[in-house]
Amino acid sequence: MPKVTVHGQEIPCRGILFDKDGTLLDFMPMWGAWATVLIGLLDDHLTALGKEPIGHRKESLGLFSDQTGKITGYDKAGPIAMGTEEEVTALLAWHLYTAGIPWNEATVLVRRYNKSAMQKLEQDRRAVPLPGLTGFLQDCHKSGMKLAVVTSDTVKETKKHLDWMDLSHYFPVIVGRDRVSKGKPDPEMALLAMQEMGLTPKQCIVIGDSNGDMVMGKQAGALCTIGIAPDGDGQQYLLDANLIIRGYHELSV
């Protein structure tokens, strides 16, 4: 049986379930750029109406910015990191509503400008694998390890992002929010992936960058949950992780 070694600890397993954003791809190059475009469009609209922009309230979206207003990071336990597209849309629409825009108009505006921001992503294709990921996936493939993606994004978008990074061939199983009735941290997503991999929970480990991933894996009965915290601050938010790493250089197969 293949083994994943973490900090000198060997974990015999046959499958790995990966989160996507912040786990497979580097979050900020893509989603930081998306948020910058989307919030900029919304702020331009509000300014044209003589209303206060929402850009200075980025923290309520789980985004951090510097003194110039440039987005520099995100809250690993926040809505941008863990929420679905529908949840983020509702949150942005709420900001417009509090600025005096009727709710129905607010949701239409957010969806319209989100479409423009997503088109910009399509043009730039900023999806970048986390350092060391590709080599780790190659080793997993050689060992016969089965791999899956479990994400709050849709299957279509996930496949697209994997294609941009040339990683699609590693993941025959993809479970997105559009394939389940309950998203993370509910275990439904992980259990479906395990079923399609032909494996039991005790043959699988879960790797993710949020505690939602850890709780999902734990409730699904996974053998082990591994949290990725490149900033080294994972103890603060990966509360249900069995193990915490800074990057894939700490893993071997």
Side-chain angles (χ1 to χ4, degrees):
M1 179 184 294
K3 297 177 181 178
V4 173
T5 302
V6 191
H7 302 161
Q9 177 180 340
E10 290 187 343
I11 306 172
C13 60
R14 295 188 181 278
I16 304 176
L17 282 63
F18 295 83
D19 169 53
K20 176 171 68 75
D21 298 319
T23 302
L24 295 177
L25 63 82
D26 195 347
F27 190 93
M28 283 304 297
M30 190 164 83
W31 296 114
W34 163 82
T36 298
V37 172
L38 177 54
I39 292 174
L41 290 170
L42 292 171
D43 279 354
D44 287 346
H45 185 91
L46 287 168
T47 301
L49 295 176
K51 299 181 181 297
E52 185 179 13
I54 64 174
H56 68 286
R57 291 185 282 173
K58 296 185 184 76
E59 290 78 8
S60 66
L61 301 171
L63 294 168
F64 305 138
S65 56
D66 60 20
Q67 293 181 342
T68 68
K70 179 182 178 181
I71 296 174
T72 57
Y74 66 103
D75 180 4
K76 309 300 189 303
I80 293 293
M82 301 175 67
T84 64
E85 181 180 347
E86 292 80 8
E87 290 168 342
V88 173
T89 295
L91 182 56
L92 288 167
W94 176 81
H95 280 289
L96 297 185
Y97 174 71
T98 60
I101 296 176
W103 181 257
N104 61 320
E105 184 180 342
T107 56
V108 169
L109 285 171
V110 172
R111 290 177 183 134
R112 178 194 305 163
Y113 289 132
N114 182 49
K115 183 177 180 180
S116 297
M118 294 299 287
Q119 288 173 341
K120 180 68 169 136
L121 278 188
E122 291 276 351
Q123 295 172 4
D124 296 343
R125 299 194 173 193
R126 292 174 178 250
V128 179
L130 283 187
L133 171 67
T134 302
F136 179 67
L137 294 179
Q138 290 173 346
D139 292 342
C140 288
H141 181 70
K142 291 176 184 176
S143 74
M145 190 85 69
K146 294 184 177 181
L147 307 177
V149 178
V150 286
T151 174
S152 295
D153 210 343
T154 64
V155 172
K156 179 181 178 181
E157 290 298 306
T158 299
K159 288 181 177 178
K160 183 192 303 178
H161 300 157
L162 292 174
D163 285 341
W164 291 353
M165 297 186 290
D166 194 26
L167 299 178
S168 294
H169 55 288
Y170 290 114
F171 299 102
V173 174
I174 298 175
V175 178
R177 71 171 192 275
D178 50 336
R179 295 194 59 203
V180 295
S181 59
K182 297 179 181 178
K184 301 176 186 179
D186 190 271
E188 181 183 3
M189 196 175 286
L191 291 171
L192 177 57
M194 294 169 182
Q195 177 184 339
E196 294 189 351
M197 297 164 79
L199 300 175
T200 67
K202 293 306 179 186
Q203 293 176 309
C204 298
I205 64 175
V206 172
I207 300 179
D209 71 321
S210 77
N211 204 52
D213 299 313
M214 305 299 98
V215 173
M216 174 192 68
K218 187 175 182 179
Q219 291 188 354
L223 178 64
C224 181
T225 56
I226 299 176
I228 294 184
D231 57 8
D233 197 32
Q235 297 288 350
Q236 302 298 317
Y237 58 91
L238 293 168
L239 304 178
D240 288 270
N242 296 124
L243 297 166
I244 298 175
I245 60 174
R246 293 186 68 120
Y248 287 98
H249 62 282
E250 297 180 21
L251 297 178
S252 62
V253 182

